[in-house]
Amino acid sequence: MVIRSTIMDTNSFRAEHAAGLDPDTRRLTERRDTVLGASYRLFYRNPVHLVRGEGQYLWDASGRKYLDAYNNVASLGHCHPAVTAAVTAQMQQLNTHTRYLHENILNYTDDLLSTMPAELNKAMYMCTGSEANDLAIRVAKAYSGGEGIIATTEAYHGTSELTSGISPALGTGQPLAPTARLVEAPDAYRLGSTAGADGSELGTWFANRIRAAIADMEAHGIRFAGFIADSIFSSDGVLPGPAGYLREAAEVIHRAGGIIIADEVQPGFGRTGDAFWGFQRHGIVPDVVTLGKPMGNGIPVSGLVAKADVLAAFSDTIPYFNTFGGNPVSMAAAQAVLSTIRAEGLQEHSRVVGGSLLDALRGLGDTHESVGDVRGAGLFIGFELVKDRTTREPHRELALAVLEQLRERGVLTSVAGPHGNVLKLRPPLAFQPGDIDWLVGALDDSLTALYA
Amino acid sequence: MVIRSTIMDTNSFRAEHAAGLDPDTRRLTERRDTVLGASYRLFYRNPVHLVRGEGQYLWDASGRKYLDAYNNVASLGHCHPAVTAAVTAQMQQLNTHTRYLHENILNYTDDLLSTMPAELNKAMYMCTGSEANDLAIRVAKAYSGGEGIIATTEAYHGTSELTSGISPALGTGQPLAPTARLVEAPDAYRLGSTAGADGSELGTWFANRIRAAIADMEAHGIRFAGFIADSIFSSDGVLPGPAGYLREAAEVIHRAGGIIIADEVQPGFGRTGDAFWGFQRHGIVPDVVTLGKPMGNGIPVSGLVAKADVLAAFSDTIPYFNTFGGNPVSMAAAQAVLSTIRAEGLQEHSRVVGGSLLDALRGLGDTHESVGDVRGAGLFIGFELVKDRTTREPHRELALAVLEQLRERGVLTSVAGPHGNVLKLRPPLAFQPGDIDWLVGALDDSLTALYA
């Protein structure tokens, strides 16, 4: 396949590349090749065989310890005992579905809605972020009467047919939906001067791109339905931007009759430190919010929260029943996550520790010319590598080599962005100040080794 | 909405109908109406507030015991200790994703593939049956180069945009995909004479319907991609038919260049007694098999098994990564289910106990004229109610009234079929011979009460 983008394939190697592996690794990669579909890709030329996790750490089959700098699913930390205890207790008690009454779904929903603006007052539950985004787009279409969805040029929103069609990060093998339009993400580092030359600030620059996409839809007879993005543009290279700059774009979308879908699968649940939800950093109120990955700390739980009138346009007409969605065990897991984030102060922890990590990573710029930009919000950081600081030419090869170097130094992460040159640092929120030295030291050593 | 069919809405009532409920039930239904999307529907005019489950039994908040005659998710039985133990142990050890090596997914896949024909040799994992069917249809399109999918007139295959478009059971609010064509399911009870008049047996009758649907697609410029059904036609009214009669249809589909997707979400995992997979009853080899509901006994696990060359047409071109799919905890749950089915001999149990239940249910026909047809395979039985045995006019109102009567007698189930007149009896496989009296007695009493 032609690899157009980074999220799905950079840093992924099939087993046929795996000559020279140790016998255990080779055996497992060969078994995968034999029985699993070829869509399965592994991280690293030398794949990691993990057998244990605790907090921010993972261990491989040989007993070697790793620092997880990537996984926002195990957001409270791997194998957090509060989630295990809640799931076990509920599995011993009852697990049915939402055709019967149960308090877990109601108690959790009350708690979840209390974290959101009052207008977002209806919840539904599924099992994956893809299912949440698939439903969100159907809601957008039902509410607007339109079909046209705007996403960003490197977006990834899911694996279903509908969400794949607005996920250009999947590469050119996956056709874009004919009713979709893509806009460049607001990359302050790369577009700063462009935005300036345009006579406008970043927020206006982005709002103008959305205006243009809507106009292009209309010119082709496609009625605008909505805009979907996660507010830190994770797959576009981790672009937090200045807090609040998305407001103008939000106004443009609403004036044109579209809805805003905030995909909180990555920035949600305290990750960005500044706010519990990514969209709150920008002071905007989306019409639909989709939730996923960290929601159950590894148990498949996802959700959709919406304004009542927006959701009604769909749910008054089309039935929706998700067999496992919102079941007592899923809700017990989700409740344990929400309660633990609060009990352990993980949002504030993310803000403070993320800030320290950001500072330490920026310090690497003093000794490594290849460090182009370091940006983030909380424990969600993009570390961008360039060939030249003046031209800002992306250094994809270096980023991929750094990933492999980091893996050999026990630090697990991946890359993002249209050029594949941005390290995506998004550790479990269990990441501690004492881990900064390992991560930054490994990165320092990796960059030194690659330029030695 | 216009309710066209039964699976999603018959036997479901919103809380506004809930006057006269006890205070606990009213409080919970009101809370649901306040915070959940309106797509959520409850079973029964007097909804059940369940708090505990064990084996084939459930208990409500007042301590009342129920017999679950409907749930194939908790297939081993509610709260089966083997699944709880496996999930707890794995949650304490590690839960990551398929970008790293792990033995659980490989061991489970070997075990799963050993239950299938050798040609079905590649597996992938998701979280819900909808996700499995969504991917299966994308595989069908990629492999065939076509778009046209044939399903049955009351089929239900999922909640995503793509699967909803081939799920007419969702009602007229949900548009059918323009590239879909529907065929009547092969209902031996209702079509017997038609099929005879046609000069052909049921298998030929059904194969002819598929031929006609393919011809209609071609006449409209739609290239045929595949046929999807579960081999017991669950939503069409539970139609096991004579074993083997689907062979001719399978040949027609393959000769036309389409693939066969066997949706085993309902008949799979030993349910039909005669075979581990529903399609095996018919001696056919599908190209893609989708798995769901009972696969994890309540943990959200689903899967897709396919012939290597069929799957490759998709996976060589389009990446697919499912965050939770195939993770160590999901696979531990799935493995516990598969091992327990084997250890407890549940397929044979389903055959034997299902046979006894079928006989006992047929006995009700001696005293109740409204019993039109009773049919099944293993513990998957359709009990059809009619106004008149000669005309076979369906008695939907009676079926709905019987459901409510059964609920008051502690037996939980639902209905299926185009006329909403078929009780769908599909208890956990933990259902025992000693439960037959409760179920059949409650049905006997309900029918008597309604004709009193």
Side-chain angles (χ1 to χ4, degrees), chain A residues 33 122 128 131 138 159 174, chain B residues 33 122 128 131 138 159:
Chain A
D33 258 16
K122 291 281 184 183
T128 69
E131 288 194 324
R138 297 173 72 198
T159 62
Q174 167 60 53
Chain B
D33 258 15
K122 292 280 184 182
T128 68
E131 289 195 323
R138 296 173 72 199
T159 62

Side-chain angles (χ1 to χ4, degrees), chain B residues 281-297:
Chain B
R281 277 188 73 241
H282 294 289
I284 60 172
V285 179
D287 304 281
V288 174
V289 179
T290 55
L291 314 171
K293 285 186 169 70
M295 190 172 180
N297 211 55

Side-chain angles (χ1 to χ4, degrees), chain A residues 1 8-9 12 25 27-29 31-43 47-53 58 73 78-79 83-84 87-88 91-96 98-103 105-107 109-110 113 121-125 127-128 130-131 134 138 141 156 159-162 164 170 173-174 293 298 300 311 315 317-321 323-324 327 412, chain B residues 1 8-9 12 25 27-29 31-43 47-53 58 73 79 83-84 87-88 91-96 98-103 105-107 109-110 113 121-125 127-128 130-131 134 138 141 156 159-162 164 170 173-174 293 298 300 311 315-321 323-324 327 412:
Chain A
M1 64 179 281
M8 299 302 288
D9 282 283
S12 300
T25 308
R27 182 178 57 85
L28 294 180
T29 52
R31 285 182 69 191
R32 282 174 61 113
D33 258 16
T34 306
V35 297
L36 300 183
S39 294
Y40 281 92
R41 314 282 164 91
L42 288 160
F43 278 164
V48 186
H49 174 197
L50 296 172
V51 298
R52 189 161 81 82
L58 293 159
V73 174
H78 291 279
C79 304
V83 183
T84 307
V87 166
T88 301
M91 284 186 77
Q92 290 170 335
Q93 184 71 22
L94 179 70
N95 196 17
T96 54
T98 54
R99 300 289 196 183
Y100 305 116
L101 297 167
H102 199 273
E103 293 202 322
I105 189 172
L106 297 169
N107 294 341
T109 301
D110 287 348
L113 294 180
N121 57 358
K122 291 281 184 183
M124 293 176 70
Y125 300 99
C127 299
T128 69
S130 297
E131 288 194 324
D134 194 289
R138 297 173 72 198
K141 290 161 74 173
Y156 175 71
T159 62
S160 70
E161 166 100 340
L162 185 60
S164 292
L170 289 168
Q174 167 60 53
K293 286 187 169 69
L311 185 57
S315 57
T317 312
I318 301 178
Y320 183 97
F321 173 69
T323 297
F324 307 121
N327 77 28
L412 304 177
Chain B
M1 61 179 284
M8 300 301 288
D9 283 282
S12 300
T25 308
R27 183 178 58 85
L28 293 180
T29 52
R31 286 182 68 192
R32 281 174 62 112
D33 258 15
T34 306
V35 298
L36 300 183
S39 294
Y40 281 92
R41 314 283 164 87
L42 288 161
F43 278 162
V48 186
H49 175 195
L50 296 172
V51 299
R52 190 161 81 80
L58 294 159
V73 174
C79 304
V83 183
T84 306
V87 167
T88 301
M91 284 185 78
Q92 290 171 334
Q93 184 71 21
L94 178 70
N95 197 15
T96 55
T98 54
R99 300 291 198 184
Y100 305 116
L101 297 167
H102 198 274
E103 293 203 324
I105 189 172
L106 297 170
N107 294 342
T109 301
D110 287 347
L113 294 180
N121 57 358
K122 292 280 184 182
M124 294 177 69
Y125 299 99
C127 299
T128 68
S130 297
E131 289 195 323
D134 194 289
R138 296 173 72 199
K141 290 161 72 173
Y156 174 70
T159 62
S160 70
E161 167 99 341
L162 185 60
S164 293
L170 288 167
Q174 168 63 51
K293 285 186 169 70
L311 185 56
S315 58
D316 286 354
T317 311
I318 302 177
Y320 183 96
F321 173 69
T323 296
F324 306 122
N327 77 28
L412 304 177

Side-chain angles (χ1 to χ4, degrees), chain B residues 396-418:
Chain B
R396 175 190 174 94
E397 302 72 20
L398 178 62
L400 295 178
V402 167
L403 282 185
E404 299 287 338
Q405 287 272 338
L406 284 174
R407 178 248 179 272
E408 296 308 325
R409 290 172 168 80
V411 174
L412 304 177
T413 194
S414 192
V415 291

Side-chain angles (χ1 to χ4, degrees), chain A residues 395-436:
Chain A
H395 206 330
R396 175 190 174 95
E397 300 75 18
L398 178 62
L400 294 179
V402 167
L403 283 185
E404 299 288 338
Q405 287 272 336
L406 285 173
R407 179 249 180 271
E408 296 307 325
R409 289 173 170 81
V411 173
L412 304 177
T413 193
S414 192
V415 292
H419 314 293
N421 67 320
V422 181
L423 297 189
K424 185 172 171 183
L425 301 168
R426 188 192 53 177
L429 300 182
F431 185 93
Q432 298 298 326
D435 299 313
I436 293 176

